[in-house]
Amino acid sequence: MLRSVFVFFCFFTLLSTLSALSYTQDNVNDRNTFEEVVYRSNEKGILPVKNYSSLEYNARPQNWAIVRDHRGLMYFANNEALLEFDGTRWRKINAPDEVTIRSLAIDENGRIYVGVEGDFGFISPDSTGKLIYRTLTHLLPEHYRDFGDIWHTLVTNEGVYFQSSNFIFRYEGDEIRIWQAEKNNEFHSLYYVNETIYIDQRNIGLKKMVDDRLVLIQGGEFLADEKIYIMME
């Protein structure tokens, strides 16, 4: 009887020890598994994602474009304002009349160019160091100032392009060059690929900028009824 109790006690102790070891090993495996998942996800480019609601950044839900400056600050083209985010705090930079911001681009010096509804310009510090919006449309003749939304803004070697449905503007120095679409042949989109400007024009096709002229590329007419949404190198 005593021997049976002793054997049972030894068996119970061994079972408890194995269970404890198994539990500890499971915890280690769980931790290692999580670490491996994060590591492998990073290897695959699947990074942790944090979503910010419009309640957090205190503006409208829709954003049209994003750029990052040399300091790592992020800027968002929002339906209400230009949003600046430093990783902790959000700040609004208002364009005239708080209109919709449609497009953004940044040059090699860190200047951010902005295309908005009925206006375009850039942001730069005022006398106190606070970033403010500065318009460029005062450089346009009066009869070219009613152009609607600036859907695309591009920084190129030739200058900064701003594209609306009916006009393309190029800002360089203190001058603005203008291209106007033919009637019923609106500009749909503007791209900068391999140091060349490409224009998707409705009912005509894909053009490119050659010596300041919009020239239909070979085969571009086959895209006359198509809308191009992205071009990449």
Side-chain angles (χ1 to χ4, degrees):
M1 177 68 178
L2 198 57
R3 183 179 178 185
S4 297
V5 171
F6 177 74
V7 171
F8 176 80
F9 175 76
C10 290
F11 176 75
F12 179 78
T13 303
L14 178 61
L15 185 62
S16 299
T17 303
L18 290 175
S19 297
L21 288 174
S22 177
Y23 175 78
T24 303
Q25 187 63 43
D26 286 345
N27 280 350
V28 171
N29 288 340
D30 288 345
R31 185 170 63 252
N32 289 341
T33 299
F34 175 75
E35 292 171 353
E36 288 174 3
V37 167
V38 172
Y39 177 75
R40 290 172 182 171
S41 295
N42 289 341
E43 272 192 330
K44 295 178 181 179
I46 306 172
L47 301 177
V49 175
K50 171 156 177 71
N51 295 316
Y52 296 92
S53 73
S54 57
L55 295 176
E56 291 178 90
Y57 56 74
N58 192 30
R60 296 180 186 174
Q62 191 170 24
N63 297 285
W64 294 88
I66 305 172
V67 297
R68 179 186 179 189
D69 72 8
H70 61 282
R71 300 169 297 172
L73 272 64
M74 305 295 297
Y75 295 86
F76 301 82
N78 184 267
N79 270 358
E80 184 175 327
L82 177 62
L83 304 179
E84 180 189 75
F85 184 53
D86 64 5
T88 303
R89 295 179 299 274
W90 294 87
R91 186 170 78 86
K92 290 182 182 179
I93 303 172
N94 291 322
D97 303 320
E98 298 186 1
V99 294
T100 298
I101 312 294
R102 295 292 191 191
S103 55
L104 299 172
I106 186 168
D107 68 13
E108 60 184 7
N109 298 315
R111 172 176 283 184
I112 297 174
Y113 292 90
V114 185
V116 307
E117 182 183 348
D119 205 341
F120 58 84
F122 60 92
I123 59 172
S124 64
D126 62 11
S127 59
T128 67
K130 179 181 177 181
L131 289 176
I132 61 172
Y133 175 82
R134 301 181 188 275
T135 183
L136 289 171
T137 54
H138 63 280
L139 299 174
L140 292 174
E142 189 72 32
H143 58 281
Y144 285 117
R145 295 183 187 179
D146 183 18
F147 49 76
D149 293 285
I150 296 293
W151 296 105
H152 295 88
T153 300
L154 298 175
V155 172
T156 75
N157 295 332
E158 294 78 36
V160 183
Y161 285 84
F162 302 91
Q163 176 247 319
S164 71
S165 295
N166 293 307
F167 295 97
I168 295 173
F169 305 102
R170 186 179 68 201
Y171 169 68
E172 185 178 14
D174 289 325
E175 297 182 352
I176 294 181
R177 176 72 185 267
I178 303 170
W179 291 264
Q180 185 170 2
E182 302 89 340
K183 187 177 181 181
N184 299 323
N185 296 325
E186 297 178 343
F187 299 125
H188 175 254
S189 54
L190 189 74
Y191 302 99
Y192 189 52
V193 180
N194 292 328
E195 299 186 352
T196 302
I197 286 288
Y198 290 91
I199 305 96
D200 175 22
Q201 193 166 3
R202 292 173 181 169
N203 302 319
I204 294 180
L206 185 62
K207 293 182 175 182
K208 67 178 180 179
M209 188 75 73
V210 179
D211 296 327
D212 287 344
R213 295 180 298 111
L214 301 182
V215 178
L216 190 68
I217 70 168
Q218 185 175 2
E221 66 275 10
F222 292 108
L223 298 171
D225 298 324
E226 304 294 334
K227 293 181 180 179
I228 300 173
Y229 290 97
I230 188 170
M231 287 185 67
M232 302 176 65
E233 296 183 13

mmCIF file of all heavy atoms in Angstrom, residues 6-49:
data_model
loop_
_atom_site.group_PDB
_atom_site.id
_atom_site.type_symbol
_atom_site.label_atom_id
_atom_site.label_comp_id
_atom_site.label_asym_id
_atom_site.label_seq_id
_atom_site.Cartn_x
_atom_site.Cartn_y
_atom_site.Cartn_z
ATOM 1 N N PHE A 6 3.694 5.725 -2.870
ATOM 2 C CA PHE A 6 4.965 6.342 -3.267
ATOM 3 C C PHE A 6 5.081 6.420 -4.797
ATOM 4 O O PHE A 6 5.474 7.431 -5.363
ATOM 5 C CB PHE A 6 6.124 5.531 -2.681
ATOM 6 C CG PHE A 6 7.473 6.040 -3.096
ATOM 7 C CD1 PHE A 6 7.985 7.219 -2.548
ATOM 8 C CD2 PHE A 6 8.233 5.354 -4.047
ATOM 9 C CE1 PHE A 6 9.213 7.686 -2.945
ATOM 10 C CE2 PHE A 6 9.459 5.830 -4.432
ATOM 11 C CZ PHE A 6 9.958 6.995 -3.889
ATOM 12 N N VAL A 7 4.702 5.316 -5.444
ATOM 13 C CA VAL A 7 4.752 5.291 -6.915
ATOM 14 C C VAL A 7 3.805 6.329 -7.497
ATOM 15 O O VAL A 7 4.137 7.058 -8.434
ATOM 16 C CB VAL A 7 4.414 3.878 -7.436
ATOM 17 C CG1 VAL A 7 4.256 3.906 -8.958
ATOM 18 C CG2 VAL A 7 5.490 2.881 -7.039
ATOM 19 N N PHE A 8 2.596 6.417 -6.946
ATOM 20 C CA PHE A 8 1.628 7.398 -7.422
ATOM 21 C C PHE A 8 2.149 8.815 -7.231
ATOM 22 O O PHE A 8 2.013 9.679 -8.096
ATOM 23 C CB PHE A 8 0.293 7.217 -6.688
ATOM 24 C CG PHE A 8 -0.727 8.250 -7.067
ATOM 25 C CD1 PHE A 8 -1.452 8.124 -8.250
ATOM 26 C CD2 PHE A 8 -0.949 9.362 -6.256
ATOM 27 C CE1 PHE A 8 -2.370 9.069 -8.602
ATOM 28 C CE2 PHE A 8 -1.877 10.299 -6.615
ATOM 29 C CZ PHE A 8 -2.594 10.166 -7.789
ATOM 30 N N PHE A 9 2.791 9.059 -6.048
ATOM 31 C CA PHE A 9 3.334 10.390 -5.765
ATOM 32 C C PHE A 9 4.422 10.754 -6.767
ATOM 33 O O PHE A 9 4.473 11.867 -7.290
ATOM 34 C CB PHE A 9 3.876 10.419 -4.330
ATOM 35 C CG PHE A 9 4.561 11.715 -3.983
ATOM 36 C CD1 PHE A 9 3.814 12.864 -3.705
ATOM 37 C CD2 PHE A 9 5.948 11.791 -3.952
ATOM 38 C CE1 PHE A 9 4.449 14.045 -3.388
ATOM 39 C CE2 PHE A 9 6.567 12.975 -3.647
ATOM 40 C CZ PHE A 9 5.828 14.106 -3.364
ATOM 41 N N CYS A 10 5.311 9.804 -7.033
ATOM 42 C CA CYS A 10 6.385 10.046 -8.006
ATOM 43 C C CYS A 10 5.812 10.323 -9.393
ATOM 44 O O CYS A 10 6.256 11.215 -10.118
ATOM 45 C CB CYS A 10 7.335 8.840 -8.055
ATOM 46 S SG CYS A 10 8.334 8.648 -6.572
ATOM 47 N N PHE A 11 4.805 9.538 -9.775
ATOM 48 C CA PHE A 11 4.183 9.727 -11.086
ATOM 49 C C PHE A 11 3.517 11.103 -11.186
ATOM 50 O O PHE A 11 3.644 11.809 -12.179
ATOM 51 C CB PHE A 11 3.151 8.619 -11.330
ATOM 52 C CG PHE A 11 2.388 8.772 -12.611
ATOM 53 C CD1 PHE A 11 2.992 8.482 -13.831
ATOM 54 C CD2 PHE A 11 1.073 9.228 -12.600
ATOM 55 C CE1 PHE A 11 2.287 8.624 -15.014
ATOM 56 C CE2 PHE A 11 0.395 9.384 -13.779
ATOM 57 C CZ PHE A 11 0.992 9.092 -14.997
ATOM 58 N N PHE A 12 2.813 11.501 -10.107
ATOM 59 C CA PHE A 12 2.139 12.797 -10.088
ATOM 60 C C PHE A 12 3.153 13.938 -10.169
ATOM 61 O O PHE A 12 2.955 14.926 -10.876
ATOM 62 C CB PHE A 12 1.298 12.906 -8.806
ATOM 63 C CG PHE A 12 0.570 14.222 -8.688
ATOM 64 C CD1 PHE A 12 -0.588 14.456 -9.407
ATOM 65 C CD2 PHE A 12 1.067 15.214 -7.860
ATOM 66 C CE1 PHE A 12 -1.248 15.658 -9.301
ATOM 67 C CE2 PHE A 12 0.414 16.416 -7.755
ATOM 68 C CZ PHE A 12 -0.754 16.646 -8.476
ATOM 69 N N THR A 13 4.259 13.791 -9.434
ATOM 70 C CA THR A 13 5.299 14.824 -9.455
ATOM 71 C C THR A 13 5.917 14.957 -10.841
ATOM 72 O O THR A 13 6.122 16.061 -11.354
ATOM 73 C CB THR A 13 6.399 14.482 -8.430
ATOM 74 O OG1 THR A 13 5.806 14.353 -7.139
ATOM 75 C CG2 THR A 13 7.475 15.557 -8.385
ATOM 76 N N LEU A 14 6.201 13.807 -11.466
ATOM 77 C CA LEU A 14 6.766 13.814 -12.812
ATOM 78 C C LEU A 14 5.804 14.443 -13.805
ATOM 79 O O LEU A 14 6.189 15.249 -14.658
ATOM 80 C CB LEU A 14 7.105 12.381 -13.232
ATOM 81 C CG LEU A 14 7.683 12.202 -14.656
ATOM 82 C CD1 LEU A 14 8.999 12.961 -14.781
ATOM 83 C CD2 LEU A 14 7.880 10.724 -14.971
ATOM 84 N N LEU A 15 4.526 14.092 -13.687
ATOM 85 C CA LEU A 15 3.515 14.652 -14.588
ATOM 86 C C LEU A 15 3.403 16.154 -14.417
ATOM 87 O O LEU A 15 3.308 16.904 -15.392
ATOM 88 C CB LEU A 15 2.166 13.979 -14.310
ATOM 89 C CG LEU A 15 1.014 14.369 -15.240
ATOM 90 C CD1 LEU A 15 1.350 13.954 -16.685
ATOM 91 C CD2 LEU A 15 -0.283 13.701 -14.784
ATOM 92 N N SER A 16 3.429 16.641 -13.172
ATOM 93 C CA SER A 16 3.344 18.079 -12.903
ATOM 94 C C SER A 16 4.545 18.809 -13.475
ATOM 95 O O SER A 16 4.437 19.892 -14.041
ATOM 96 C CB SER A 16 3.243 18.320 -11.389
ATOM 97 O OG SER A 16 2.091 17.715 -10.865
ATOM 98 N N THR A 17 5.733 18.188 -13.300
ATOM 99 C CA THR A 17 6.961 18.802 -13.820
ATOM 100 C C THR A 17 6.921 18.915 -15.332
ATOM 101 O O THR A 17 7.248 19.946 -15.916
ATOM 102 C CB THR A 17 8.187 17.977 -13.401
ATOM 103 O OG1 THR A 17 8.216 17.870 -11.975
ATOM 104 C CG2 THR A 17 9.489 18.624 -13.883
ATOM 105 N N LEU A 18 6.483 17.819 -15.969
ATOM 106 C CA LEU A 18 6.391 17.844 -17.435
ATOM 107 C C LEU A 18 5.374 18.877 -17.913
ATOM 108 O O LEU A 18 5.580 19.573 -18.902
ATOM 109 C CB LEU A 18 6.008 16.455 -17.952
ATOM 110 C CG LEU A 18 7.082 15.376 -17.819
ATOM 111 C CD1 LEU A 18 6.519 14.017 -18.262
ATOM 112 C CD2 LEU A 18 8.306 15.725 -18.657
ATOM 113 N N SER A 19 4.260 18.985 -17.186
ATOM 114 C CA SER A 19 3.240 19.968 -17.542
ATOM 115 C C SER A 19 3.787 21.377 -17.416
ATOM 116 O O SER A 19 3.541 22.241 -18.260
ATOM 117 C CB SER A 19 2.004 19.802 -16.644
ATOM 118 O OG SER A 19 1.420 18.544 -16.835
ATOM 119 N N ALA A 20 4.536 21.615 -16.304
ATOM 120 C CA ALA A 20 5.116 22.937 -16.097
ATOM 121 C C ALA A 20 6.113 23.271 -17.200
ATOM 122 O O ALA A 20 6.128 24.381 -17.739
ATOM 123 C CB ALA A 20 5.787 22.996 -14.718
ATOM 124 N N LEU A 21 6.966 22.265 -17.535
ATOM 125 C CA LEU A 21 7.929 22.486 -18.609
ATOM 126 C C LEU A 21 7.227 22.751 -19.933
ATOM 127 O O LEU A 21 7.617 23.605 -20.708
ATOM 128 C CB LEU A 21 8.844 21.263 -18.734
ATOM 129 C CG LEU A 21 9.870 21.070 -17.598
ATOM 130 C CD1 LEU A 21 10.594 19.737 -17.778
ATOM 131 C CD2 LEU A 21 10.872 22.222 -17.586
ATOM 132 N N SER A 22 6.158 21.970 -20.168
ATOM 133 C CA SER A 22 5.396 22.150 -21.402
ATOM 134 C C SER A 22 4.766 23.527 -21.459
ATOM 135 O O SER A 22 4.775 24.190 -22.486
ATOM 136 C CB SER A 22 4.324 21.064 -21.502
ATOM 137 O OG SER A 22 3.532 21.262 -22.635
ATOM 138 N N TYR A 23 4.235 23.991 -20.310
ATOM 139 C CA TYR A 23 3.599 25.316 -20.254
ATOM 140 C C TYR A 23 4.621 26.412 -20.514
ATOM 141 O O TYR A 23 4.400 27.338 -21.288
ATOM 142 C CB TYR A 23 2.952 25.509 -18.881
ATOM 143 C CG TYR A 23 2.362 26.885 -18.679
ATOM 144 C CD1 TYR A 23 1.137 27.210 -19.241
ATOM 145 C CD2 TYR A 23 3.045 27.840 -17.931
ATOM 146 C CE1 TYR A 23 0.592 28.471 -19.068
ATOM 147 C CE2 TYR A 23 2.513 29.095 -17.758
ATOM 148 C CZ TYR A 23 1.282 29.406 -18.314
ATOM 149 O OH TYR A 23 0.756 30.655 -18.147
ATOM 150 N N THR A 24 5.812 26.249 -19.857
ATOM 151 C CA THR A 24 6.865 27.237 -20.053
ATOM 152 C C THR A 24 7.319 27.262 -21.505
ATOM 153 O O THR A 24 7.495 28.311 -22.116
ATOM 154 C CB THR A 24 8.062 26.922 -19.139
ATOM 155 O OG1 THR A 24 7.602 26.882 -17.793
ATOM 156 C CG2 THR A 24 9.149 27.972 -19.276
ATOM 157 N N GLN A 25 7.500 26.067 -22.072
ATOM 158 C CA GLN A 25 7.940 25.982 -23.455
ATOM 159 C C GLN A 25 6.912 26.570 -24.405
ATOM 160 O O GLN A 25 7.250 27.247 -25.372
ATOM 161 C CB GLN A 25 8.222 24.521 -23.826
ATOM 162 C CG GLN A 25 8.849 24.347 -25.224
ATOM 163 C CD GLN A 25 10.202 25.024 -25.303
ATOM 164 O OE1 GLN A 25 11.008 24.927 -24.395
ATOM 165 N NE2 GLN A 25 10.446 25.719 -26.398
ATOM 166 N N ASP A 26 5.612 26.331 -24.092
ATOM 167 C CA ASP A 26 4.551 26.907 -24.928
ATOM 168 C C ASP A 26 4.613 28.412 -24.901
ATOM 169 O O ASP A 26 4.439 29.086 -25.922
ATOM 170 C CB ASP A 26 3.171 26.430 -24.447
ATOM 171 C CG ASP A 26 2.915 24.978 -24.831
ATOM 172 O OD1 ASP A 26 3.669 24.473 -25.697
ATOM 173 O OD2 ASP A 26 1.986 24.375 -24.264
ATOM 174 N N ASN A 27 4.848 28.994 -23.695
ATOM 175 C CA ASN A 27 4.942 30.445 -23.585
ATOM 176 C C ASN A 27 6.107 30.971 -24.400
ATOM 177 O O ASN A 27 6.007 31.986 -25.094
ATOM 178 C CB ASN A 27 5.111 30.862 -22.114
ATOM 179 C CG ASN A 27 3.786 30.845 -21.376
ATOM 180 O OD1 ASN A 27 2.742 30.697 -22.001
ATOM 181 N ND2 ASN A 27 3.827 30.979 -20.067
ATOM 182 N N VAL A 28 7.257 30.269 -24.276
ATOM 183 C CA VAL A 28 8.428 30.677 -25.049
ATOM 184 C C VAL A 28 8.133 30.581 -26.527
ATOM 185 O O VAL A 28 8.441 31.479 -27.318
ATOM 186 C CB VAL A 28 9.645 29.796 -24.682
ATOM 187 C CG1 VAL A 28 10.799 30.075 -25.635
ATOM 188 C CG2 VAL A 28 10.065 30.052 -23.234
ATOM 189 N N ASN A 29 7.459 29.461 -26.923
ATOM 190 C CA ASN A 29 7.118 29.287 -28.337
ATOM 191 C C ASN A 29 6.172 30.369 -28.811
ATOM 192 O O ASN A 29 6.292 30.884 -29.914
ATOM 193 C CB ASN A 29 6.509 27.905 -28.571
ATOM 194 C CG ASN A 29 7.549 26.794 -28.470
ATOM 195 O OD1 ASN A 29 8.738 27.053 -28.598
ATOM 196 N ND2 ASN A 29 7.095 25.568 -28.232
ATOM 197 N N ASP A 30 5.173 30.708 -27.940
ATOM 198 C CA ASP A 30 4.234 31.763 -28.308
ATOM 199 C C ASP A 30 4.967 33.080 -28.508
ATOM 200 O O ASP A 30 4.720 33.813 -29.463
ATOM 201 C CB ASP A 30 3.166 31.927 -27.215
ATOM 202 C CG ASP A 30 2.185 30.766 -27.214
ATOM 203 O OD1 ASP A 30 2.173 30.030 -28.220
ATOM 204 O OD2 ASP A 30 1.446 30.611 -26.225
ATOM 205 N N ARG A 31 5.895 33.392 -27.581
ATOM 206 C CA ARG A 31 6.623 34.642 -27.694
ATOM 207 C C ARG A 31 7.506 34.642 -28.929
ATOM 208 O O ARG A 31 7.549 35.597 -29.690
ATOM 209 C CB ARG A 31 7.473 34.858 -26.431
ATOM 210 C CG ARG A 31 8.185 36.211 -26.416
ATOM 211 C CD ARG A 31 8.817 36.496 -25.060
ATOM 212 N NE ARG A 31 9.862 35.544 -24.714
ATOM 213 C CZ ARG A 31 9.738 34.615 -23.791
ATOM 214 N NH1 ARG A 31 8.599 34.495 -23.126
ATOM 215 N NH2 ARG A 31 10.723 33.775 -23.511
ATOM 216 N N ASN A 32 8.203 33.498 -29.116
ATOM 217 C CA ASN A 32 9.059 33.401 -30.293
ATOM 218 C C ASN A 32 8.248 33.483 -31.577
ATOM 219 O O ASN A 32 8.658 34.083 -32.553
ATOM 220 C CB ASN A 32 9.853 32.086 -30.270
ATOM 221 C CG ASN A 32 10.938 32.093 -29.197
ATOM 222 O OD1 ASN A 32 11.327 33.156 -28.730
ATOM 223 N ND2 ASN A 32 11.409 30.922 -28.811
ATOM 224 N N THR A 33 7.062 32.844 -31.540
ATOM 225 C CA THR A 33 6.210 32.877 -32.726
ATOM 226 C C THR A 33 5.815 34.298 -33.060
ATOM 227 O O THR A 33 5.855 34.721 -34.216
ATOM 228 C CB THR A 33 4.956 32.021 -32.495
ATOM 229 O OG1 THR A 33 5.352 30.678 -32.257
ATOM 230 C CG2 THR A 33 4.058 32.068 -33.725
ATOM 231 N N PHE A 34 5.438 35.086 -32.049
ATOM 232 C CA PHE A 34 5.052 36.478 -32.276
ATOM 233 C C PHE A 34 6.225 37.268 -32.832
ATOM 234 O O PHE A 34 6.092 38.019 -33.797
ATOM 235 C CB PHE A 34 4.566 37.116 -30.977
ATOM 236 C CG PHE A 34 4.270 38.582 -31.101
ATOM 237 C CD1 PHE A 34 3.123 39.019 -31.749
ATOM 238 C CD2 PHE A 34 5.153 39.520 -30.602
ATOM 239 C CE1 PHE A 34 2.849 40.365 -31.879
ATOM 240 C CE2 PHE A 34 4.886 40.865 -30.734
ATOM 241 C CZ PHE A 34 3.733 41.291 -31.366
ATOM 242 N N GLU A 35 7.418 37.066 -32.198
ATOM 243 C CA GLU A 35 8.596 37.781 -32.667
ATOM 244 C C GLU A 35 8.947 37.378 -34.086
ATOM 245 O O GLU A 35 9.314 38.219 -34.920
ATOM 246 C CB GLU A 35 9.770 37.504 -31.725
ATOM 247 C CG GLU A 35 9.590 38.123 -30.334
ATOM 248 C CD GLU A 35 10.662 37.651 -29.357
ATOM 249 O OE1 GLU A 35 11.442 36.757 -29.745
ATOM 250 O OE2 GLU A 35 10.705 38.191 -28.241
ATOM 251 N N GLU A 36 8.802 36.063 -34.373
ATOM 252 C CA GLU A 36 9.094 35.595 -35.722
ATOM 253 C C GLU A 36 8.114 36.172 -36.728
ATOM 254 O O GLU A 36 8.487 36.534 -37.845
ATOM 255 C CB GLU A 36 9.057 34.069 -35.768
ATOM 256 C CG GLU A 36 10.247 33.407 -35.061
ATOM 257 C CD GLU A 36 10.091 31.899 -35.004
ATOM 258 O OE1 GLU A 36 9.096 31.404 -35.569
ATOM 259 O OE2 GLU A 36 10.938 31.233 -34.392
ATOM 260 N N VAL A 37 6.840 36.267 -36.319
ATOM 261 C CA VAL A 37 5.823 36.821 -37.221
ATOM 262 C C VAL A 37 6.145 38.271 -37.555
ATOM 263 O O VAL A 37 6.085 38.684 -38.719
ATOM 264 C CB VAL A 37 4.416 36.714 -36.583
ATOM 265 C CG1 VAL A 37 3.417 37.576 -37.359
ATOM 266 C CG2 VAL A 37 3.950 35.272 -36.567
ATOM 267 N N VAL A 38 6.498 39.055 -36.507
ATOM 268 C CA VAL A 38 6.853 40.461 -36.742
ATOM 269 C C VAL A 38 8.069 40.542 -37.645
ATOM 270 O O VAL A 38 8.114 41.314 -38.606
ATOM 271 C CB VAL A 38 7.113 41.183 -35.402
ATOM 272 C CG1 VAL A 38 7.678 42.574 -35.664
ATOM 273 C CG2 VAL A 38 5.839 41.260 -34.590
ATOM 274 N N TYR A 39 9.083 39.699 -37.345
ATOM 275 C CA TYR A 39 10.311 39.712 -38.143
ATOM 276 C C TYR A 39 10.032 39.340 -39.593
ATOM 277 O O TYR A 39 10.456 40.008 -40.527
ATOM 278 C CB TYR A 39 11.337 38.761 -37.538
ATOM 279 C CG TYR A 39 12.612 38.654 -38.342
ATOM 280 C CD1 TYR A 39 13.552 39.681 -38.333
ATOM 281 C CD2 TYR A 39 12.872 37.524 -39.132
ATOM 282 C CE1 TYR A 39 14.712 39.600 -39.074
ATOM 283 C CE2 TYR A 39 14.032 37.429 -39.875
ATOM 284 C CZ TYR A 39 14.949 38.465 -39.838
ATOM 285 O OH TYR A 39 16.089 38.383 -40.576
ATOM 286 N N ARG A 40 9.271 38.237 -39.754
ATOM 287 C CA ARG A 40 8.969 37.795 -41.112
ATOM 288 C C ARG A 40 8.088 38.791 -41.845
ATOM 289 O O ARG A 40 8.228 38.983 -43.042
ATOM 290 C CB ARG A 40 8.307 36.412 -41.063
ATOM 291 C CG ARG A 40 9.278 35.291 -40.643
ATOM 292 C CD ARG A 40 8.568 33.991 -40.406
ATOM 293 N NE ARG A 40 9.493 32.955 -39.964
ATOM 294 C CZ ARG A 40 9.112 31.776 -39.516
ATOM 295 N NH1 ARG A 40 7.816 31.484 -39.446
ATOM 296 N NH2 ARG A 40 10.000 30.890 -39.123
ATOM 297 N N SER A 41 7.169 39.430 -41.107
ATOM 298 C CA SER A 41 6.315 40.448 -41.728
ATOM 299 C C SER A 41 7.155 41.608 -42.211
ATOM 300 O O SER A 41 6.953 42.134 -43.310
ATOM 301 C CB SER A 41 5.264 40.941 -40.727
ATOM 302 O OG SER A 41 4.371 39.902 -40.388
ATOM 303 N N ASN A 42 8.138 42.019 -41.385
ATOM 304 C CA ASN A 42 9.019 43.105 -41.795
ATOM 305 C C ASN A 42 9.828 42.713 -43.011
ATOM 306 O O ASN A 42 10.074 43.532 -43.900
ATOM 307 C CB ASN A 42 9.957 43.493 -40.647
ATOM 308 C CG ASN A 42 9.228 44.213 -39.527
ATOM 309 O OD1 ASN A 42 8.134 44.721 -39.745
ATOM 310 N ND2 ASN A 42 9.818 44.255 -38.348
ATOM 311 N N GLU A 43 10.252 41.432 -43.032
ATOM 312 C CA GLU A 43 11.000 40.955 -44.192
ATOM 313 C C GLU A 43 10.172 41.062 -45.462
ATOM 314 O O GLU A 43 10.663 41.396 -46.529
ATOM 315 C CB GLU A 43 11.415 39.493 -43.987
ATOM 316 C CG GLU A 43 12.741 39.315 -43.266
ATOM 317 C CD GLU A 43 13.239 37.894 -43.352
ATOM 318 O OE1 GLU A 43 12.399 36.977 -43.438
ATOM 319 O OE2 GLU A 43 14.463 37.692 -43.349
ATOM 320 N N LYS A 44 8.883 40.775 -45.343
ATOM 321 C CA LYS A 44 7.991 40.803 -46.502
ATOM 322 C C LYS A 44 7.462 42.196 -46.788
ATOM 323 O O LYS A 44 6.747 42.401 -47.756
ATOM 324 C CB LYS A 44 6.809 39.863 -46.262
ATOM 325 C CG LYS A 44 7.204 38.394 -46.169
ATOM 326 C CD LYS A 44 5.987 37.534 -45.887
ATOM 327 C CE LYS A 44 6.370 36.062 -45.765
ATOM 328 N NZ LYS A 44 5.180 35.220 -45.462
ATOM 329 N N GLY A 45 7.775 43.166 -45.947
ATOM 330 C CA GLY A 45 7.277 44.519 -46.147
ATOM 331 C C GLY A 45 5.897 44.749 -45.577
ATOM 332 O O GLY A 45 5.258 45.738 -45.869
ATOM 333 N N ILE A 46 5.413 43.799 -44.753
ATOM 334 C CA ILE A 46 4.102 43.965 -44.118
ATOM 335 C C ILE A 46 4.342 44.575 -42.743
ATOM 336 O O ILE A 46 4.656 43.875 -41.785
ATOM 337 C CB ILE A 46 3.360 42.624 -43.992
ATOM 338 C CG1 ILE A 46 3.272 41.941 -45.362
ATOM 339 C CG2 ILE A 46 1.966 42.832 -43.404
ATOM 340 C CD1 ILE A 46 2.725 40.532 -45.299
ATOM 341 N N LEU A 47 4.256 45.884 -42.652
ATOM 342 C CA LEU A 47 4.588 46.589 -41.418
ATOM 343 C C LEU A 47 3.346 46.826 -40.569
ATOM 344 O O LEU A 47 2.225 46.845 -41.081
ATOM 345 C CB LEU A 47 5.255 47.923 -41.749
ATOM 346 C CG LEU A 47 6.541 47.819 -42.570
ATOM 347 C CD1 LEU A 47 7.065 49.205 -42.892
ATOM 348 C CD2 LEU A 47 7.606 47.015 -41.835
ATOM 349 N N PRO A 48 3.538 47.012 -39.267
ATOM 350 C CA PRO A 48 2.394 47.362 -38.414
ATOM 351 C C PRO A 48 1.724 48.642 -38.913
ATOM 352 O O PRO A 48 2.401 49.583 -39.316
ATOM 353 C CB PRO A 48 3.043 47.575 -37.036
ATOM 354 C CG PRO A 48 4.305 46.796 -37.086
ATOM 355 C CD PRO A 48 4.786 46.862 -38.508
ATOM 356 N N VAL A 49 0.410 48.667 -38.918
ATOM 357 C CA VAL A 49 -0.351 49.800 -39.457
ATOM 358 C C VAL A 49 -1.178 50.437 -38.350
ATOM 359 O O VAL A 49 -1.822 49.736 -37.568
ATOM 360 C CB VAL A 49 -1.288 49.336 -40.593
ATOM 361 C CG1 VAL A 49 -2.163 50.492 -41.061
ATOM 362 C CG2 VAL A 49 -0.473 48.784 -41.753
#
